[in-house]
Amino acid sequence: MAKKSRKSGKRSKPRRGQPRGWFRRLLPYVALVFCAGAAALALYTVHLDHEVRSKFEGTRWKLPAKVYASPLELYAGLDLSEKDLEQRLERQGYREADTLSDQGTFKASGSTLSIHTRAFQFWDGTQPDREIQLTFDGSGVASFKSIDDKGKLALIRLDPLLIGSIYPTNGSDRILVKLGDVPPMLPAGLITVEDRSFMTNWGVSPKAIVRAAWADLRAGHIVQGGSTLTQQLVKNFYLTNRQTIGRKLKEALMAILLDAHFSKDEILQAYLNEVYLGQDGSRAIHGFGLASYFYFRKPVQELQPSEIALLVGMVKGPSYYNPRQHPKRAKARRDLVLDMFHNAGFLKDKAWQKAKAAPLGVTNRSAHGNTQYPAFIDLVREQLHGQYNDSDLTEGGLRIFTTLDPSVQAAAEKEVDQGLKRVEKARGIKKDSLESAAVVTSVEGGNVLALVGGRDRGYAGFNRALDARRQVGSLMKPVDYLTAIKNPSKFNPITPLDDSPLAVKLANGKTWRPHNYSEHSHGTDVPLYYALEHSLNLASSRLALSVGIPNIIKTLHDLGYRGKPMAVPSLALGAVGMTPLDVAQIYNTLATGGYYTPLRAIRDVTTRNGKPLTRYPLKIHQVVDPGPAYIVQWLMERVARYGTGAGMYRVLDNSKQMAGKTGTTNNLRDAWFAGFGANRVSVVWVGRDDDKSAHLTGATGALPIWSRIMKDIDARGIVNTPPDNIAQMPLNLVFNPGAVNQGLGPDPDAMYGHGQNCPNAVKVPFIKGYVPQGLTPCDTDIMSQNAQYHRQQQQQEQQPEKRKGNWFQRLF
């Protein structure tokens, strides 16, 4: 039959179930491809498995160094009002409550304030949480005691405010938290909102994937992710945000591997620390630990239900639900999450209603600021430079404790901002055309308490306090006068100075001709104290030339200036560029009575676990004898009381004695004021970034801001306690420059009264042994005698061989 079939030309049909020839030939190749694919998939899975385990088990995150403000110490006798303390507590995220059952709470009742402090690991050990009570009177903290059962207390430190981090450009930041330390509502809420099958699925949810795939097919592109919490963690931790099929398949496979190797608790804890929750300038906010500080200025342990719901709701879209930029949208999302919490049963009716009625409660913050105090963080970076590798600061999780005082910083920021607006409005200056910088330090210890780099305080850009080198003008004059007073045989507060016109031939052939601001001279017998008091350029220039510009440079360096000014006559009037921080260093040394302490922004550095690394101890060196330093401070007090700085007492309490000096540069480009009280030094600069005229003097531009800063921080007045080598003589210091201009000379009766009747006497300081000859209390003609002796001495110096003595005699 087969033979017949071949003859008829008909093809025989294959038997049922027998493979066709071409498929039979292809089958081995299909099997080979399948086996190769399976092998490749297995190898790829092994590779992914290694990647998943090695990264998750090793150092999972690079932790930027955390920077803390100075902690506030509470004790009986502290000069701090109840209102100021409550503001400090609120700034640090403490909340007012009916009971003190939770850390970070306080309760006010009349003049009594009760606080449940937070536990905190300081550089010298861990301080446990405590319950304390303070009472207040008009002087501050009247009494201080503990109200728990943990023992008596004489002093306690509040946990310091977290003010920023040090991280690489475009870096991410986080504060690590443990699952057991967060409120239970947080992980429960995350699972409820983001992945209800988390505890039972194996890294992926087939049901969610099918649902998302159907939505994607209908839309023609990817519109839903169907991701579990584990997949979200994989995406953030290992992958990119690209929405492709290949990336989604890789994500699912890695999620399965992660779930196979690690417990649900480990995965959930990693998610809490990794999830992206917003942007702070160039810094990405990751994890609920940092987000809690970023949005509410409190540790995650203290989050309330409404705050937890807001952060959980933001996981869906941190930018879209940003509570600072889109408060209505964020509140709607938060309330929806609260409803889900309520329906899940872990937020009861009363608590649910209270949470929905609560405001968002996020703190105000600059939209483009990448740290809370960027200008101060710049100084911290500068002082850390060379002591730690960049990787230590950006990856090792170091803890840096600084000297910043948040209340002083807030006052300085406020007054710079409002002060510039007032000056621009009052002087008809174009709005927002002026800039400013301010530095506040402590007299004792040289701690930088506040630093403002510009009027836009949250902007991490050009830091004028550290980087703007501007001529200082008459801020240099106290240095000139200190250099002179260090030679007491020639100079004292009533030494007559020549304020007549001056011309100095320079090495380049030009002539330097300084002028007084008033364009008037005051004759040849101007008392030294008056010349500084009223910032006379001619008298100060002649004084500086007589003591020698190189000697002035030496004094400048002794006071802490590290620059290299040119030895030119104009240096006497401030022809040298300095930053506000440079000026603060010089004036801090003057304020201490001649003891140089390098200004510091850092007090301690520890590891992330609290192990001390570096101490920043006080370094104090006496660079100026206490006698001359005291006299110059006395001269600067007269500047503040009667001279160019007297405008401060329109703001400050007239009973407080301050010291300071105005500074104004050529063409009114720069306006300065630098000064101090008993405990605070402050420096303010006002000008324009383009170096054009600001049309302001130190008294009209910088002094008003300086005065309000010192008032806001309640700077203490100077209490004059002369050193042992100072002798004081009561004199009635009245000088009539008009009479001098007319060639009549000082009026002795107007200056010192008659006989022993000297009702307006001022205790004038002299170095012991160098009180002018014949000077007695309420003398009638000592000024004219002083001038005569001074002229005789000058003549003797010009003719050394005829010198017969000195008009100063050692009386003590």
Side-chain angles (χ1 to χ4, degrees):
M1 291 182 63
K3 188 175 181 179
K4 184 177 180 182
S5 174
R6 284 194 299 270
K7 287 184 178 180
S8 65
K10 293 182 180 181
R11 302 174 62 182
S12 61
K13 294 181 180 181
R15 296 176 182 175
R16 186 178 299 274
Q18 183 179 359
R20 295 179 180 272
W22 64 271
F23 185 73
R24 186 172 59 250
R25 292 191 299 272
L26 191 60
L27 191 58
Y29 297 102
V30 172
L32 183 62
V33 170
F34 178 81
C35 291
L41 180 60
L43 289 174
Y44 183 62
T45 301
V46 170
H47 166 72
L48 288 183
D49 184 71
H50 175 74
E51 182 179 349
V52 166
R53 285 186 296 141
S54 61
K55 187 172 182 180
F56 202 84
E57 291 173 345
T59 302
R60 302 176 186 177
W61 293 282
K62 295 179 179 180
L63 299 176
K66 293 293 176 288
V67 185
Y68 295 90
S70 178
L72 177 64
E73 294 183 340
L74 300 177
Y75 53 89
L78 176 64
D79 183 14
L80 183 70
S81 70
E82 182 178 2
K83 179 182 177 182
D84 289 341
L85 179 53
E86 286 187 23
Q87 289 177 346
R88 177 73 175 252
L89 292 171
E90 291 170 354
R91 188 181 294 118
Q92 292 184 215
Y94 280 68
R95 60 187 177 87
E96 191 166 8
D98 296 332
T99 66
L100 300 181
S101 56
D102 297 327
Q103 296 183 34
T105 56
F106 68 93
K107 181 179 180 181
S109 177
S111 61
T112 300
L113 187 65
S114 302
I115 308 171
H116 190 162
T117 67
R118 296 173 179 139
F120 191 82
Q121 189 175 52
F122 288 95
W123 56 89
D124 55 359
T126 299
Q127 177 181 278
D129 64 297
R130 296 297 301 267
E131 294 180 34
I132 60 173
Q133 188 177 85
L134 305 93
T135 59
F136 296 83
D137 57 21
S139 300
V141 180
S143 67
F144 169 89
K145 65 178 182 179
S146 63
I147 54 175
D148 53 24
D149 57 357
K150 299 179 182 179
K152 294 182 179 180
L153 281 174
L155 176 148
I156 195 170
R157 289 176 293 196
L158 289 181
D159 55 298
L161 178 68
L162 177 64
I163 62 174
S165 303
I166 296 179
Y167 48 88
T169 304
N170 297 322
S172 61
D173 195 6
R174 59 179 51 78
I175 294 176
L176 295 185
V177 296
K178 295 181 179 179
L179 185 61
D181 293 336
V182 303
M185 187 179 294
L186 177 54
L190 265 176
I191 292 172
T192 298
V193 175
E194 292 293 324
D195 183 9
R196 295 191 179 185
S197 66
F198 173 75
M199 299 305 296
T200 57
N201 66 42
W202 29 279
V204 296
S205 172
K207 184 185 297 185
I209 292 174
V210 171
R211 183 175 63 250
W214 175 245
D216 294 343
L217 287 172
R218 293 179 59 186
H221 57 90
I222 295 177
V223 295
Q224 285 188 20
S227 297
T228 62
L229 282 177
T230 310
Q231 286 177 268
Q232 292 179 38
L233 176 61
V234 166
K235 180 186 70 174
N236 292 335
F237 201 55
Y238 300 96
L239 306 175
T240 67
N241 289 324
R242 292 183 59 193
Q243 290 280 36
T244 63
I245 297 296
R247 204 274 292 161
K248 291 294 292 182
L249 290 174
K250 182 178 180 181
E251 173 191 294
L253 182 55
M254 294 180 80
I256 294 171
L257 294 170
L258 189 66
D259 189 81
H261 288 296
F262 301 98
S263 69
K264 293 294 185 180
D265 283 354
E266 289 176 302
I267 294 171
L268 190 55
Q269 180 171 291
Y271 185 93
L272 291 173
N273 288 306
E274 178 60 30
V275 63
Y276 173 68
L277 286 168
Q279 197 72 26
D280 182 24
S282 61
R283 177 177 67 153
I285 304 300
H286 284 271
F288 287 91
L290 182 59
S292 181
Y293 277 102
F294 181 64
Y295 292 107
F296 303 109
R297 221 173 268 169
K298 64 171 70 172
V300 68
Q301 294 90 335
E302 297 176 17
L303 288 176
Q304 300 302 299
S306 62
E307 297 163 341
I308 293 173
L310 176 62
L311 295 182
V312 169
M314 290 176 63
V315 170
K316 184 177 181 180
S319 298
Y320 187 79
Y321 295 111
N322 186 321
R324 293 192 178 104
Q325 296 180 358
H326 309 292
K328 292 183 178 179
R329 190 184 295 167
K331 187 177 185 305
R333 174 66 178 168
R334 182 204 70 176
D335 290 349
L336 175 62
V337 171
L338 285 171
D339 291 342
M340 298 174 72
F341 287 4
H342 179 244
N343 293 334
F346 51 82
L347 191 58
K348 303 304 180 183
D349 290 348
K350 187 175 180 180
W352 168 57
Q353 293 169 359
K354 180 181 178 181
K356 292 193 71 171
L360 290 177
V362 295
T363 58
N364 293 326
R365 193 185 183 93
S366 174
H368 50 251
N370 55 13
T371 184
Q372 193 166 345
Y373 303 110
F376 188 86
I377 297 295
D378 286 344
L379 178 58
V380 172
R381 284 176 176 270
E382 187 176 286
Q383 295 194 352
L384 287 170
H385 181 69
Q387 299 189 49
Y388 296 94
N389 296 325
D390 288 344
S391 59
D392 295 330
L393 298 174
T394 59
E395 300 176 11
L398 298 183
R399 303 166 79 230
I400 301 167
F401 296 94
T402 74
T403 60
L404 182 131
D405 186 319
S407 60
V408 177
Q409 178 73 26
E413 290 176 348
K414 182 190 76 172
E415 296 304 344
V416 164
D417 178 49
Q418 296 183 1
L420 290 181
K421 292 176 181 177
R422 280 192 297 265
V423 170
E424 288 171 344
K425 183 177 180 180
R427 300 271 165 181
I429 299 173
K430 183 180 177 183
K431 183 179 180 182
D432 297 333
S433 63
L434 294 178
E435 265 298 349
S436 182
V439 180
V440 182
T441 68
S442 66
V443 173
E444 183 179 359
N447 295 324
V448 180
L449 305 177
L451 190 141
V452 181
R455 67 189 300 165
D456 193 351
R457 57 183 179 267
Y459 178 61
F462 183 52
N463 190 339
R464 295 160 190 82
L466 301 183
D467 302 323
R469 298 189 176 276
R470 308 294 288 250
Q471 291 200 353
V472 297
S474 294
L475 293 188
M476 176 62 68
K477 288 175 183 172
V479 183
D480 302 339
Y481 284 71
L482 176 60
T483 308
I485 295 295
K486 286 193 292 185
N487 186 353
S489 66
K490 295 179 65 175
F491 298 99
N492 63 57
I494 60 173
T495 299
L497 301 181
D498 185 353
D499 193 56
S500 61
L502 173 66
V504 180
K505 194 81 169 182
L506 303 177
N508 59 9
K510 296 182 179 180
T511 300
W512 180 61
R513 300 179 187 273
H515 299 277
N516 287 333
Y517 179 73
S518 65
E519 297 295 336
H520 298 293
S521 61
H522 301 80
T524 58
D525 294 327
V526 178
L528 181 145
Y529 76 85
Y530 186 92
L532 182 61
E533 192 175 288
H534 295 276
S535 200
L536 302 184
N537 288 341
L538 294 172
S540 300
S541 298
R542 289 182 180 274
L543 174 71
L545 292 174
S546 69
V547 302
I549 297 299
N551 290 326
I552 289 175
I553 292 176
K554 181 181 183 306
T555 301
L556 196 59
H557 287 155
D558 288 343
L559 294 174
Y561 180 59
R562 295 293 170 255
K564 297 180 179 180
M566 294 181 63
V568 294
S570 57
L571 177 66
L573 302 183
V576 56
M578 295 186 191
T579 68
L581 189 68
D582 291 334
V583 175
Q585 178 67 80
I586 293 168
Y587 275 71
N588 203 92
T589 307
L590 292 173
T592 60
Y595 289 87
Y596 166 68
T597 301
L599 296 183
R600 62 172 187 167
I602 305 169
R603 59 186 306 167
D604 285 280
V605 178
T606 74
T607 67
R608 56 179 291 197
N609 297 319
K611 180 182 178 181
L613 290 178
T614 307
R615 298 300 304 270
Y616 292 78
L618 288 178
K619 299 177 181 179
I620 303 175
H621 305 285
Q622 185 176 349
V623 294
V624 179
D625 184 79
Y630 178 84
I631 292 175
V632 169
Q633 179 176 305
W634 180 87
L635 294 171
M636 295 172 67
E637 289 175 17
R638 292 193 61 84
V639 172
R641 181 67 66 177
Y642 307 109
T644 56
M648 70 174 65
Y649 289 107
R650 300 190 189 103
V651 176
L652 294 175
D653 184 344
N654 193 59
S655 67
K656 290 186 176 182
Q657 184 60 64
M658 299 289 171
K661 187 68 188 75
T662 51
T664 308
T665 60
N666 290 340
N667 299 320
L668 305 182
R669 286 191 181 94
D670 303 281
W672 292 88
F673 194 85
F676 50 88
N679 62 332
R680 298 288 182 260
V681 178
S682 183
V683 176
V684 174
W685 167 84
V686 175
R688 292 171 58 107
D689 283 342
D690 59 11
D691 204 29
K692 292 182 180 179
S693 176
H695 303 290
L696 296 168
T697 65
T700 59
L703 178 58
I705 297 174
W706 183 93
S707 303
R708 286 181 169 83
I709 291 174
M710 295 294 270
K711 179 182 179 182
D712 287 355
I713 65 177
D714 198 24
R716 296 198 302 268
I718 297 170
V719 179
N720 286 309
T721 304
D724 292 339
N725 63 338
I726 286 292
Q728 298 185 100
M729 186 67 69
L731 301 173
N732 191 356
L733 300 183
V734 179
F735 178 68
N736 186 346
V740 175
N741 289 336
Q742 298 166 28
L744 301 178
D747 180 354
D749 292 339
M751 291 180 65
Y752 301 106
H754 294 281
Q756 298 300 312
N757 182 20
C758 196
N760 298 318
V762 174
K763 291 182 178 180
V764 180
F766 299 89
I767 301 296
K768 280 184 178 180
Y770 294 94
V771 179
Q773 180 182 3
L775 183 62
T776 58
C778 299
D779 209 337
T780 58
D781 59 351
I782 187 62
M783 198 64 217
S784 60
Q785 292 180 22
N786 200 358
Q788 179 182 352
Y789 283 123
H790 185 71
R791 285 193 292 271
Q792 289 176 355
Q793 186 189 32
Q794 287 180 325
Q795 293 172 1
Q796 291 171 359
E797 288 178 347
Q798 293 170 3
Q799 302 178 26
E801 69 282 359
K802 297 182 180 181
R803 185 177 304 165
K804 295 181 179 180
N806 196 300
W807 62 284
F808 288 107
Q809 299 294 328
R810 295 180 179 271
L811 301 181
F812 297 88

